[in-house]
Amino acid sequence: MSSADDPSPPLDKRRNFHSISRQKFDEEGHPTNSSIEQINVEDSCLRLFEIFEAHNEEIDNLPVLNRHRTVRFLSQGLEHLAGGYDCLDASRPWLVYWILHSLELLGETLTDQQKHDITQFLAKCQNPDGGFGGGPEQISHLAPTYAAVNSLAIIGTQEAYEVVNRKSLVSWMDKLRCPDGSFTMHEGGEIDIRGVYCALSVANMLNIYTSELFHRTDEWLLRCQTYEGGFGGTPGMEAHGGYTFCGFAALMLMGKEKLCDIDGLLSWAANRQMKLEGGFQGRTNKLVDGCYSFWQGGLFPLLAVSLEQDSSYSLPPSDWLFSSQGLQEYLLICCQDVRGGLIDKPGKNRDFYHTCYTLSGLSLCQHYRTRTRDKTECFGDPSNLLVETHPVYNVSIEAANAATKYFNSLPTVKL
């Protein structure tokens, strides 16, 4: 059920325009800057929902994911980037990852030459200390290290796997570890929860995880959970979608997720889905954003795996604990650029980041899989079905399994 070539019957549970329009934000006679922005976004989505409903009466299986143009947009990015991407010169492994992961979700394969060329580029981003920089000859940093390792896993060749210097990487990561269990993003750099997730994801995939390397990390992560139920970037910060995914996924990677307030987390995450738009906001009182279809939506498969082991919870038999239908509607009706690629919200420009994480969220919506459940549902045309993504690593299930199998066959590298 994880193949884009194995479509299931389309969902027939879509909301009608009348029911959607009844969810409009109520300013209660006291407009603010944020309420005005919210209403503007809702109006832009309502226009698209209305157009879709009018057309759908005439054409079966709308909407359709614009695969061809999106693949062309992504493929062009592998060869050439527009001048506007100069500001991401320190994020080049991220650009590779966003594009490669989007392509694999769409069921596209790289040529052998592309695999070799990209592998050689990523090898140039690795420093003698084992970490990867944002580009060749840039300092080692946990964020591009995560992006580079995921990219190499997606490529999935022996050459790609052998790029990583695991022994040096462990020693470098140990230098980033702080006494309280947190990690700096680079030597002398800032501390936040992204670093912990990136370190744990890399360590687990590459079979270099040890309790010594992550001593007290679970304690620090728990301090990041806020009174709202989500996680902040550091203890005392506001709960945020990206940080919350990083925090809970990190606890899952350590097998310590039950130590956090799961009830509070579930309540906070479910309430981040917007009633009218169907997509997720990143924080309380913020606007919808397509990228949070993964950063927020990705929490629910992890929560389901945890909750189904607890007899006091009863999970739905065929859906996540949010409206996957509503999210698929938002992504396919409101977040597609007519030229290909996907966007944050109507009126925004396409980019590789939002294309990657909107497709990732769409994949999670379509594949309802836990230890005891396996169901695939696709909104719109059956061709919209994507390859299944791994809810923790966010590479395809196939790539994650192949990489972990390879590295688990090697001895664990210890400090």
Side-chain angles (χ1 to χ4, degrees), residues 286-299:
K286 294 295 184 179
L287 301 175
V288 69
D289 186 331
C291 73
Y292 290 112
S293 61
F294 177 78
W295 296 122
Q296 299 283 28
L299 290 166

Side-chain angles (χ1 to χ4, degrees), residues 193 221-222 224-232 239-252 256-273 280 295-304 306-307 313 321:
I193 207 166
L221 287 167
L222 295 174
C224 293
Q225 190 170 21
T226 78
Y227 72 94
E228 288 187 278
F231 287 71
H240 179 281
Y243 293 144
T244 299
F245 174 84
C246 288
F248 192 63
L251 287 170
M252 291 283 292
K256 303 289 185 69
E257 70 278 4
K258 292 188 181 297
L259 295 177
C260 76
D261 177 7
I262 289 185
D263 286 341
L265 173 60
L266 177 57
S267 176
W268 179 83
N271 279 287
R272 302 284 69 75
Q273 187 169 25
F280 284 94
W295 296 122
Q296 299 283 28
L299 290 166
F300 292 92
L302 305 182
L303 284 163
S306 179
L307 293 175
Y313 291 92
L321 292 169

Side-chain angles (χ1 to χ4, degrees), residues 30-179:
H30 298 283
T32 64
N33 288 336
S34 58
S35 71
I36 292 170
E37 288 185 1
Q38 174 62 30
I39 290 171
N40 287 339
V41 172
E42 290 181 350
D43 287 342
S44 65
C45 290
L46 281 171
R47 286 192 291 271
L48 293 170
F49 286 135
E50 186 173 25
I51 293 170
F52 165 73
E53 184 165 299
H55 287 181
N56 197 60
E57 294 177 355
E58 305 169 6
I59 305 173
D60 292 336
N61 294 337
L62 280 172
V64 177
L65 178 63
N66 195 337
R67 284 176 172 268
H68 175 71
R69 290 183 179 179
T70 297
V71 168
R72 184 174 61 187
F73 167 62
L74 295 164
S75 299
Q76 289 173 344
L78 281 179
E79 303 295 332
H80 174 77
L81 294 173
Y85 283 95
D86 287 350
C87 62
L88 294 177
D89 183 61
S91 300
R92 293 170 73 183
W94 278 110
L95 288 163
V96 171
Y97 165 64
W98 297 331
I99 293 172
L100 293 189
H101 183 47
S102 298
L103 287 171
E104 71 164 346
L105 291 178
L106 291 164
E108 296 295 312
T109 57
L110 302 174
T111 66
D112 290 342
Q113 187 63 49
Q114 285 176 317
K115 292 178 181 179
H116 172 74
D117 291 344
I118 297 169
T119 297
Q120 289 300 303
F121 168 73
L122 292 171
K124 293 178 181 177
C125 296
Q126 187 175 34
N127 292 308
D129 61 14
F132 290 78
E137 300 185 12
Q138 297 186 29
I139 65 169
S140 296
H141 191 288
L142 275 173
T145 296
Y146 164 86
V149 168
N150 272 11
S151 297
L152 293 167
I154 293 169
I155 293 170
T157 61
Q158 184 81 14
E159 179 190 23
Y161 293 154
E162 291 179 351
V163 164
V164 183
N165 185 334
R166 296 193 305 146
K167 184 176 181 180
S168 296
L169 182 59
V170 169
S171 298
W172 171 69
M173 289 173 62
D174 187 48
K175 295 177 183 177
L176 307 182
R177 182 170 57 89
C178 301

Side-chain angles (χ1 to χ4, degrees), residues 314-321 368-370 372-377:
S314 178
L315 294 176
S318 61
D319 206 353
W320 301 122
L321 292 169
Y368 182 69
R369 185 194 298 272
T370 66
T372 60
R373 295 166 171 82
D374 187 357
K375 185 177 178 63
T376 303
E377 289 189 319

